[in-house]
Amino acid sequence: MSFQNRKQIILKILEEKGEAEVKDFAQALDISEITIRRDLQQMATDGLLFRTHGGAMKLSLAQMPFTFANKTAINAKEKDKICQLAAQQIQEGDIILMDCGSTVFRMCQFIKNKRIKVITNSLPVVYELMNSQVSINLIGGEIDQERQAVHGRIAEEHIARYKVDKAFLGVDGISPENGLSAFGEDEASITLAMANASAKKYFLCDASKLGKDKYLTFAPITLVDVLVTNALEEDVAVYREKGIEVLI
């Protein structure tokens, strides 16, 4: 296979996954890791991708602030499975809210070809969905440079003007006893505003978030309509008992 053909496959993998390791590329292309490393280095030199220690990352991720890109890459495979399942709940013509969480961001790759409207406070989500089938509405307000997101009273007032079909939200902790919790007030306020504006609220949480209480408890567990997670069945039974639909 020629370098040009390999290059197109590598770019397609990065478009779908965001980032991948050398061994993943080698298996997909059925070539040696030495050849893949050489290809990745050449493509990085040409400005087509961002070279990481163990593989490569899509440029749009690399252009984000390091903290967000790093957070997005944590548990990437698990997050992608959650996001793929969440994306299946979206129908053509839906109007949805997406928050600025690293898990919710990874849903972008699965909705690019859907004719829907996305309202978001996340700059990375806007960047990722540009030039796709999706219609985008960026919430106005004050930008948090570290999180690359819009927060504040103006943003909350903006969200309150809408009534949408579904909201896809992340949370730092979700406990059946104490409800939803966050590391900060800005995140909690935006999550509440988006939840109140939506008919159905989906919370995308990997297994590490379940049963955890963080700095600020801001809403009861009843705020959650649907929990989308990679947790084991025995770990989500208590959430089902609370009347929450759980997708695994």
Side-chain angles (χ1 to χ4, degrees), residues 126-191:
V126 171
Y127 184 92
E128 192 69 14
L129 293 178
M130 291 289 282
N131 302 314
S132 72
Q133 296 291 325
V134 177
S135 173
I136 310 167
N137 185 328
L138 175 63
I139 293 163
E142 184 175 350
I143 294 177
D144 180 328
Q145 293 190 17
E146 181 179 350
R147 293 181 63 86
Q148 287 290 282
V150 182
H151 289 293
R153 185 180 298 275
I154 297 298
E156 293 164 31
E157 291 176 355
H158 187 161
I159 295 168
R161 297 175 186 174
Y162 298 104
K163 291 299 177 187
V164 307
D165 301 301
K166 298 156 187 171
F168 293 86
L169 309 167
V171 69
D172 295 315
I174 178 168
S175 162
E177 295 83 16
N178 300 318
L180 308 181
S181 57
F183 286 121
E185 294 181 12
D186 284 342
E187 295 91 334
S189 296
I190 285 291
T191 299

Side-chain angles (χ1 to χ4, degrees), residues 76-227:
K77 291 182 180 179
E78 289 79 6
K79 289 178 179 178
D80 283 351
K81 291 177 182 177
I82 292 169
C83 289
Q84 189 169 17
L85 183 56
Q88 291 171 6
Q89 315 309 309
I90 302 172
Q91 309 301 318
E92 293 288 321
D94 274 352
I95 302 173
I96 70 171
L97 279 158
M98 293 175 64
D99 74 6
C100 63
S102 61
T103 300
V104 173
F105 166 76
R106 297 193 73 93
M107 194 170 75
C108 291
Q109 61 191 304
F110 303 112
I111 65 173
K112 285 184 174 182
N113 295 321
K114 292 181 181 285
R115 294 185 180 276
I116 59 175
K117 179 182 285 291
V118 169
I119 304 170
T120 185
N121 69 322
S122 168
L123 298 182
V125 166
V126 171
Y127 184 92
E128 192 69 14
L129 293 178
M130 291 289 282
N131 302 314
S132 72
Q133 296 291 325
V134 177
S135 173
I136 310 167
N137 185 328
L138 175 63
I139 293 163
E142 184 175 350
I143 294 177
D144 180 328
Q145 293 190 17
E146 181 179 350
R147 293 181 63 86
Q148 287 290 282
V150 182
H151 289 293
R153 185 180 298 275
I154 297 298
E156 293 164 31
E157 291 176 355
H158 187 161
I159 295 168
R161 297 175 186 174
Y162 298 104
K163 291 299 177 187
V164 307
D165 301 301
K166 298 156 187 171
F168 293 86
L169 309 167
V171 69
D172 295 315
I174 178 168
S175 162
E177 295 83 16
N178 300 318
L180 308 181
S181 57
F183 286 121
E185 294 181 12
D186 284 342
E187 295 91 334
S189 296
I190 285 291
T191 299
L192 277 176
M194 289 188 172
N196 290 334
S198 64
K200 195 164 187 177
K201 297 163 277 292
Y202 293 79
F203 281 81
L204 281 54
C205 305
D206 64 61
S208 67
K209 306 289 182 65
L210 272 60
K212 301 296 175 61
D213 295 310
K214 299 303 180 181
Y215 165 72
L216 175 67
T217 299
F218 65 90
I221 195 67
T222 51
L223 187 71
V224 181
D225 291 319
V226 184
L227 173 63

